[in-house]
Amino acid sequence: MAAGGARSGAGRKRDPEAHRAVLAAAEELLNEIGYHRVTMDRIAERSGVAKMTLYRWWPNKAAVITDAVRESLAPVAVPGTGDAVGDARAHLAALLGTLTRYGDASVVAGAMSSRGEAGRADLRDILAPWLDGLVAILGRAPLPPEFPVVLTAQSWIGYVVYRVVFLQEVITPDDLRILVDLPVQGLREPAF
């Protein structure tokens, strides 16, 4: 499979206009009726591209939708206010908003599970810039050199994904406060 779940190989070349029409239709439908009501039939009808062509290009609706919204799932900016704890909380809250942007937790869970390994790979790719952002935030903090920056950032991302995707639970601002504040409690300095 090619990047994003699109199939590659034999057959005619993908028409760029039709490809754009499919992705636009998928995103429009997602915003209008929600992930669970979007179907390949509806995407085909809205885009004017034959359903058989859709299935040649993507294995299922989750793959089409993931490709359609991929860019909107990246972090817009990494907070940099000088308050590492506050910035980390804000970054995690933005990630949480991204994971639930198109509906409740069942959307990400459903999209990932219906795509198997390709869905897990997409989720890893989507989460990578979020992890990099947390590492950058912690890298600016006045922490001891032995502080496990990458491990801490990974555990925070893992917590959010576990709660949202696997448990399909709501994470509150208090949850994020406790999550972020605990590892750095006692390490805070006035500049923090």
Side-chain angles (χ1 to χ4, degrees):
M1 266 198 209
R7 295 177 187 191
S8 61
R12 294 186 324 185
K13 268 193 138 177
R14 186 178 296 195
D15 174 11
E17 289 296 317
H19 184 259
R20 280 191 289 276
V22 169
L23 296 180
E27 187 169 16
E28 289 167 7
L29 287 165
L30 178 64
N31 289 318
E32 290 171 18
I33 62 175
Y35 176 82
H36 298 297
R37 294 184 59 212
V38 174
T39 63
M40 291 295 260
D41 285 328
R42 286 182 165 154
I43 294 170
E45 182 180 326
R46 173 74 60 97
S47 68
V49 175
K51 187 167 83 168
M52 189 159 59
T53 301
L54 294 182
Y55 279 111
R56 259 197 326 265
W57 293 349
W58 293 277
N60 55 36
K61 79 170 184 180
V64 179
I65 290 172
T66 300
D67 280 355
V69 301
R70 183 179 308 277
E71 288 182 22
S72 69
L73 302 177
V76 175
V78 176
T81 67
D83 172 13
V85 171
D87 289 348
R89 272 193 249 129
H91 195 64
L92 287 168
L95 170 60
L96 181 58
T98 295
L99 291 175
T100 57
R101 175 175 294 151
Y102 298 105
D104 63 21
S106 68
V107 171
V108 175
M112 190 180 86
S113 67
S114 71
R115 298 198 51 230
E117 182 52 40
R120 287 187 292 280
D122 274 342
L123 185 58
R124 278 191 303 270
D125 292 345
I126 289 164
L127 293 174
W130 292 95
L131 176 64
D132 293 344
L134 281 175
V135 169
I137 289 167
L138 288 171
R140 296 189 299 256
L143 297 169
E146 69 276 3
F147 188 84
V149 169
V150 174
L151 179 63
T152 300
Q154 288 172 333
S155 69
W156 291 347
I157 295 280
Y159 170 84
V160 170
V161 171
Y162 177 70
R163 292 269 315 268
V164 171
V165 176
F166 295 100
L167 298 181
Q168 298 183 23
E169 293 180 349
V170 173
I171 298 175
T172 67
D174 277 343
D175 293 334
L176 292 180
R177 182 185 52 74
I178 293 166
L179 175 72
V180 172
D181 288 6
L182 280 178
V184 294
Q185 195 171 34
L187 299 174
R188 295 176 109 172
E189 298 176 6
F192 213 69

